[in-house]
Amino acid sequence: MKFLIVVPDGSADDPIDSLGGRTPLEAACLPCIDGLAQRGIIGTCRTVPAGISPGSDSANLSVMGYDPRLYLTGRSPLEAGALGIEMKDDDESFRVNFITLEPAASGVYADFSIKDHAAGDLTTEEAGELLEVISRAFATENIKFYLGTQYRECMIVSGRHAECEMTPPHDILDRRLGDYLPRGRDGRFFAAMNEKSYELLKDHPLNKAREARGLNPANGIWIWGQGTRPKLPDFGKKYNVRGSVISAVDLIKGIGMFAGLEIIEVEGATGSIHTNFEGKAAAAIAAYERGQDFVYLHLEGTDECSHQGSLEKKIRCAEYIDQRAVKPVVEYLQSCGDDFKILVVPDHRTPLALRTHTADPVPFVIYDSRNPLAPDSRRQFSERAAAASGLHFDDGYEMTDFFFERKV
Ligand SMILES: [Zn+2]
């Protein structure tokens, strides 16, 4: 028996006027996933429990069968794990984003806003150069910086845990920064680093060159997502599978690593609409061929397009996922001679109207090759069709336990 979970990150959305009240999933042409839905079962799932912020950390933990109320210790430590950083129990990890700040006429930092939480698709190489500037200014015996992927870097603070509340930068695009600076006992310390980074980076030659090419400069950092090392029960033991995670995103790789799954690196996997869809599909097939029986295939592009507010790209990216990533794996599974089950589920919604995540239930599709239903065109991979099915799980781990037929 082979198992596949496909996560088109943030692909679920709300009805959109310019689509005649349809959602992007309803407007997209998804023959492969809709084909699975027509012969499978559909439903909705609440992947983000009440009181928990709808991040990709909580939502993907949930889809992997871990209750975020019990296991989420923060986003950054998951990423630190993926980067191979050994954290001690008294270490705290922070996400450091390179961002594009929009300066204010007043010249006062608190009046600035974040124009782009991803600094215009900064490359990892560029990030490395700029992180050296940040590290020279802020690193100490107890504060260390590590290069991540593209705009996503990591800072480890040793010795004591900070008391502060921080806000994800993609949640506050175009808003006045002064209302969202780090708060709490240690908030001012990190707020000062955020603020000083603008002076350090704004005139850096690399940023001047980016601006000359019409690209957003990485003219600031934003610190958030802190937490200590998580302790996840072993995924393979829980669901009786040997499996892998395929994702461009360090956070997702980190969850997989702490869950005891193998992490497969795919060349050209970027987490955007320009990712190597075919390469990810080939990596999944190769994992099955090596004798693994589970793949967690995560595709970030639909979420990234939502944060950018691009309806056209979000639809196109969902179609790429369907045709270039999912279809080859489904065709392989159909021809491999083994029974298989597929779960397609977005980790969370990322409505274009908000350009950030929400905790509303997401649609899911489960296809079981042992028991294909008579095709029914009303069964689709969409928010509305899934809600109309009447099948609902109030927690992500219930859906995942159901998918793996786990006897609790
Ligand atoms: Zn996500």
Side-chain angles (χ1 to χ4, degrees):
M1 185 78 182
K2 293 182 169 64
F3 296 90
L4 171 68
I5 297 182
V6 179
V7 180
D9 198 302
S11 56
D13 209 304
D14 297 334
I16 292 175
D17 287 345
S18 66
L19 294 175
R22 290 177 301 166
T23 67
L25 284 180
E26 287 174 318
C29 181
L30 309 171
C32 181
I33 298 173
D34 279 339
L36 298 172
Q38 283 171 20
R39 301 180 65 95
I41 57 174
I42 58 174
T44 57
C45 178
R46 183 172 289 283
T47 53
V48 182
I52 298 227
S53 162
S56 286
D57 46 6
S58 52
N60 277 277
L61 271 172
S62 188
V63 172
M64 279 202 204
Y66 299 105
D67 185 343
R69 285 167 291 211
L70 302 178
Y71 296 108
L72 180 66
T73 59
R75 177 187 186 112
S76 181
L78 297 168
E79 297 179 329
L83 293 173
I85 301 167
E86 297 277 348
M87 285 178 72
K88 296 193 221 43
D89 279 343
D90 61 353
D91 284 353
E92 193 164 29
S93 178
F94 295 76
R95 160 70 89 77
V96 178
N97 270 52
F98 278 111
I99 58 172
T100 304
L101 286 166
E102 182 71 41
S106 67
V108 176
Y109 177 78
D111 292 333
F112 288 18
S113 59
I114 299 173
K115 185 176 162 192
D116 184 349
H117 70 286
D121 282 335
L122 189 74
T123 67
T124 304
E125 196 184 0
E126 291 172 310
E129 198 175 329
L130 297 180
L131 194 64
E132 277 179 29
V133 176
I134 296 300
S135 187
R136 270 199 300 276
F138 300 131
T140 67
E141 199 179 322
N142 291 322
I143 299 179
K144 293 200 163 50
F145 292 86
Y146 296 86
L147 182 63
T149 305
Q150 296 177 294
Y151 61 89
R152 315 172 188 99
E153 326 310 336
C154 179
M155 174 175 77
I156 303 286
V157 178
S158 307
R160 81 183 171 105
H161 297 163
E163 271 178 37
C164 59
E165 281 170 59
M166 296 175 166
T167 310
H170 50 259
D171 282 356
I172 51 168
L173 294 172
D174 302 326
R175 299 191 206 164
R176 186 181 170 274
L177 279 191
D179 301 329
Y180 300 98
L181 296 175
R183 286 187 302 274
R185 186 190 71 192
D186 300 309
R188 204 177 297 172
F189 177 78
F190 298 105
M193 287 166 84
N194 285 345
E195 179 169 356
K196 195 177 172 205
S197 71
Y198 177 68
E199 291 305 319
L200 294 168
L201 297 174
K202 68 180 168 64
D203 296 321
H204 192 284
L206 190 151
N207 276 328
K208 291 289 162 203
R210 285 181 63 84
E211 284 172 303
R213 283 184 284 149
L215 299 172
N216 283 341
N219 59 6
I221 62 167
W222 187 260
I223 301 168
W224 63 287
Q226 77 273 27
T228 52
R229 196 161 55 105
K231 295 185 172 74
L232 304 184
D234 188 81
F235 186 97
K237 284 205 186 96
K238 187 172 172 191
Y239 293 122
N240 195 25
V241 290
R242 284 196 306 141
S244 298
V245 169
I246 298 173
S247 174
V249 180
D250 288 335
L251 163 69
I252 312 297
K253 294 184 204 172
I255 297 174
M257 207 209 65
F258 285 114
L261 293 162
E262 186 188 329
I263 310 303
I264 299 178
E265 299 290 343
V266 175
E267 191 147 344
T270 57
S272 76
I273 192 172
H274 306 297
T275 196
N276 181 1
F277 295 99
E278 291 82 2
K280 286 187 163 183
I285 293 166
Y288 292 124
E289 286 283 278
R290 277 188 284 122
Q292 295 209 326
D293 37 32
F294 168 62
V295 173
Y296 192 85
L297 180 58
H298 172 264
L299 299 121
E300 174 75 358
T302 30
D303 186 59
E304 208 55 48
C305 296
S306 312
H307 289 305
Q308 290 164 3
S310 174
L311 171 60
E312 182 266 328
K313 274 168 72 180
K314 181 168 188 175
I315 292 173
R316 188 147 44 94
C317 190
E319 293 175 344
Y320 286 165
I321 290 170
D322 183 77
Q323 286 300 297
R324 295 167 59 190
V326 180
K327 187 178 169 208
V329 185
V330 170
E331 285 175 349
Y332 165 79
L333 290 170
Q334 283 167 338
S335 65
C336 75
D338 206 353
D339 291 326
F340 62 95
K341 280 185 92 171
I342 301 175
L343 166 64
V344 182
V345 62
D347 49 346
H348 50 72
R349 296 189 186 214
T350 311
L352 281 155
L354 304 172
R355 293 178 64 185
T356 190
H357 308 169
T358 65
D360 292 331
V362 293
F364 70 81
V365 172
I366 291 178
Y367 177 82
D368 184 341
S369 72
R370 298 166 302 179
N371 182 29
L373 304 183
D376 183 340
S377 60
R378 286 169 301 180
R379 285 198 295 269
Q380 285 178 357
F381 177 46
S382 80
E383 301 80 353
R384 214 178 313 244
S389 76
L391 176 61
H392 174 74
F393 292 106
D394 228 21
D395 272 300
Y397 65 86
E398 292 178 343
M399 171 188 66
T400 309
D401 285 358
F402 174 78
F403 173 65
F404 283 105
E405 300 166 31
R406 179 171 181 250
K407 313 221 174 5
V408 185

